[in-house]
């Protein structure tokens, strides 16, 4: 018996692997059935550079200091709570009108394979619940890992609910720090999906180093360079690229230190050419997902990478014959899709609905995802 969930307002909080900002949405879901939620309000609060630097340090190999991690867990919890409260204030919505908050948390480790599989997100949800007075769902990934899954990506389940009834063979691509693809199932078939590799993460790292900017605005830096074919071939040798799904990735696999090792090997390459090569590598990793999916008709893209025109052009070039657009075409602003996914996941948790992630993360059986912290 599934518990009815009313009222139907949920907050989604997303702070992804780009570590750029806390994205917050207030979403109203239909009382029954699926379909896209109504986006009532949205807000994005940038993470200050100093906090981003501390998160980077925590993720360097051997950079794990438990005291630092716990301090960040507390500080991020406060920030997430403040994001939710200012979102509600801007929407003139009372906290008591919101059924629950879904908080993704800030991933600082994602190692779903190996002897001690885990995925760790910081941002104290007990603190979010206490400060907002709203039940808060967090820790969405560990239940899936405990059931033998990758714990990621989880957004494909929401992509199916929001974009699944188009009548054509549709795929969704999220260009966040990492990139993940969803192939929507027709009829009652669930979605399949996986991480394809880097999204913006390598482009951001190289832009920070050579432009002193947090990202390559519009992809102009990459567009000004030329692809270095030997470097591209070496990058494509990464075992993640050819690994069969289910698969998921994070900053553990693709980061600035990993890139440095190749650059040492190839000697001096023009910085703009490196950026062009990284953009081409990102697009090529995405294209490999479509090799056995020749019946796909339409690709809708979401995430911050939709603002990188150069990257979108490269993806389009790799996928001839596919109609490529953003999720705006299906009525959902690409910037808010992932935050909406965590509002939707919170709703599933409150309804105690087990989610079938077998064709996405590879979990052995359907699992109720997330832990609920009551105020
Ligand atoms: N004007 C722009 N030009 C180019 N890239 C941009 C622009 N604006 C944002 N971006 C890119 O979008 C990124 C943020 O995207 P997003 O918030 O979707 O990623 P995320 O926080 O990592 O989420 P996810 O959980 O999906 O990984 C930035 O780090 C940057 O690379
Ligand atoms: Mg973000």
């Amino acid at each position: 018996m599934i518990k009815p969930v009313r009222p139907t307002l949920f907050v989604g909080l997303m702070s992804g692997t780009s570590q750029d900002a806390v994205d917050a949405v207030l979403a109203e879901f239909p009382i029954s059935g699926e379909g896209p939620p109504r986006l009532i309000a949205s807000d994005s609060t940038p993470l200050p550079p100093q906090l981003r630097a501390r998160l980077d340090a925590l993720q360097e190999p051997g950079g794990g200091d438990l005291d630092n991690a716990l301090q960040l867990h507390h500080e991020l919890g406060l920030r997430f709570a403040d994001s939710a409260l200012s979102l509600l204030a801007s929407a003139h919505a009372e906290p008591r009108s919101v059924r629950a908050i879904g908080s993704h948390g800030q991933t600082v480790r994602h190692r779903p394979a190996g002897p001690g599989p885990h995925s760790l997100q910081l941002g104290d949800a007990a603190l979010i619940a206490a400060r907002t007075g709203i039940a808060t769902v967090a820790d969405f990934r560990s239940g899936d890992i405990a059931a033998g899954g990758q714990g990621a990506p989880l957004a494909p389940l929401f992509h199916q609910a929001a974009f699944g009834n188009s009548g054509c063979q549709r795929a969704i691509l999220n260009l966040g720090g990492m990139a993940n693809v969803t192939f929507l199932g027709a009829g009652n078939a669930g979605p399949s999906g996986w991480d394809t590799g880097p999204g913006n993460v390598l482009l951001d790292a190289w832009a920070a180093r050579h432009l002193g900017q947090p990202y390559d605005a519009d992809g102009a830096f990459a567009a000004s360079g030329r692809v270095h074919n030997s470097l591209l071939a070496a990058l494509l040798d990464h075992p993640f690229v050819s690994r069969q799904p289910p698969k998921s990735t994070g900053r553990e696999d693709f980061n600035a230190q990993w890139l440095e090792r190749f650059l040492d090997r190839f000697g001096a390459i023009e910085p703009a050419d490196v950026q062009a090569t990284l953009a081409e590598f990102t697009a090529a990793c995405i294209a490999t997902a479509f090799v056995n999916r020749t019946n796909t008709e339409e690709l809708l893209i979401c995430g911050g990478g939709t603002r990188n025109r150069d990257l979108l052009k490269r993806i389009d070039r790799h996928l001839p014959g596919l109609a490529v657009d953003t999720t705006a075409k299906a009525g959902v602003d690409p910037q808010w899709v992932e935050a909406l996914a965590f509002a939707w996941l919170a709703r599933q948790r409150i309804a105690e609905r087990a989610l079938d992630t077998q064709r996405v993360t590879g979990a052995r059986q359907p699992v109720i995802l997330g832990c609920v912290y009551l105020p």
Side-chain angles (χ1 to χ4, degrees):
M1 166 78 179
I2 290 169
K3 287 187 185 171
V5 178
R6 284 166 199 260
T8 55
L9 287 182
F10 286 80
V11 166
L13 297 177
M14 183 69 212
S15 176
T17 38
S18 295
Q19 298 177 176
D20 61 319
V22 184
D23 292 343
V25 294
L26 178 62
E28 183 181 51
F29 289 88
I31 287 172
S32 60
E34 294 293 0
R38 193 162 73 88
L39 181 63
I40 295 179
S42 56
D43 195 13
S44 189
T45 316
L47 293 182
Q50 215 207 0
L51 181 68
R52 296 174 70 157
R54 287 164 61 206
L55 285 166
D56 283 344
L58 194 62
Q59 292 169 84
E60 273 165 19
D65 171 337
L66 189 56
D67 286 338
N68 266 334
L70 291 170
Q71 182 61 34
L72 282 163
H73 186 50
H74 178 83
E75 286 177 39
L76 286 166
L78 293 178
R79 270 179 192 279
F80 294 158
D82 287 350
S83 284
L85 288 172
S86 69
L87 173 80
L88 295 179
S90 72
H92 307 289
E94 292 288 331
R96 67 168 183 277
S97 68
V98 176
R99 181 65 184 85
I101 294 171
S103 175
H104 175 270
Q106 188 66 54
T107 299
V108 291
R109 291 288 187 284
H110 183 71
R111 291 197 199 100
H118 58 260
S119 184
L120 178 64
Q121 286 74 39
L122 300 184
D124 189 348
L127 201 51
I128 303 173
R131 284 175 76 93
T132 60
I134 303 170
T136 300
V137 188
D139 190 15
F140 288 93
R141 302 199 187 272
S142 45
D144 187 79
I145 291 180
Q150 294 275 314
L154 297 177
L157 304 165
F158 170 69
H159 296 161
Q160 179 72 40
F163 304 113
N165 54 4
S166 66
C168 77
Q169 293 286 333
R170 202 180 239 182
I172 308 292
L173 172 69
N174 172 46
L175 290 175
M178 302 299 151
N180 57 276
V181 70
T182 304
F183 293 97
L184 299 174
N188 287 332
S192 58
W194 55 88
D195 285 352
T196 59
N200 297 296
V201 70
L202 297 173
L203 302 174
D204 286 357
W206 199 248
R209 183 157 147 191
H210 285 278
L211 303 176
Q213 303 289 335
Y215 54 78
D216 177 6
D218 207 20
F221 187 33
S224 74
R226 283 184 17 205
V227 173
H228 187 290
N229 287 322
S230 314
L231 174 61
L232 177 62
L235 296 176
L236 283 167
D237 240 6
H238 193 298
F240 184 83
V241 180
S242 51
R243 193 177 300 159
Q244 289 305 304
K247 58 178 182 173
S248 61
T249 188
R251 286 170 172 260
E252 291 79 4
D253 289 322
F254 299 103
N255 54 56
Q257 288 87 348
W258 168 76
L259 176 62
E260 288 302 334
R261 291 208 298 274
F262 292 95
L263 298 179
D264 289 347
R265 206 202 295 170
F266 285 100
I269 303 176
E270 279 298 317
D273 292 352
V274 174
Q275 189 76 343
T277 308
L278 293 175
E280 192 61 22
F281 171 57
T282 301
C285 290
I286 289 163
T288 61
F290 290 81
V291 167
N292 295 317
R293 297 278 174 167
T294 45
N295 60 346
T296 310
E297 294 163 279
E298 182 181 58
L299 173 64
L300 299 183
I301 309 183
C302 61
T306 53
R307 300 198 188 150
N308 183 329
R309 206 167 6 152
D310 172 74
L311 182 58
L312 293 190
K313 271 194 205 156
R314 290 178 195 274
I315 294 168
D316 200 20
R317 264 206 305 272
H318 273 273
L319 299 171
L322 210 61
V324 180
D325 211 320
T326 75
T327 54
K329 189 186 172 209
V332 187
D333 185 329
Q335 190 181 343
W336 308 117
V337 173
E338 297 300 286
L340 284 168
F342 281 85
W344 182 87
L345 282 162
R347 183 172 186 248
Q348 308 310 305
R349 175 61 187 85
I350 295 295
E352 298 183 7
R353 211 167 277 151
L355 301 176
D356 186 357
T357 55
Q358 194 178 8
R359 277 154 40 90
V360 181
T361 67
R364 283 183 296 269
Q365 72 270 337
V367 203
I368 296 177
L369 298 176
C371 299
V372 186
Y373 291 79
L374 299 175

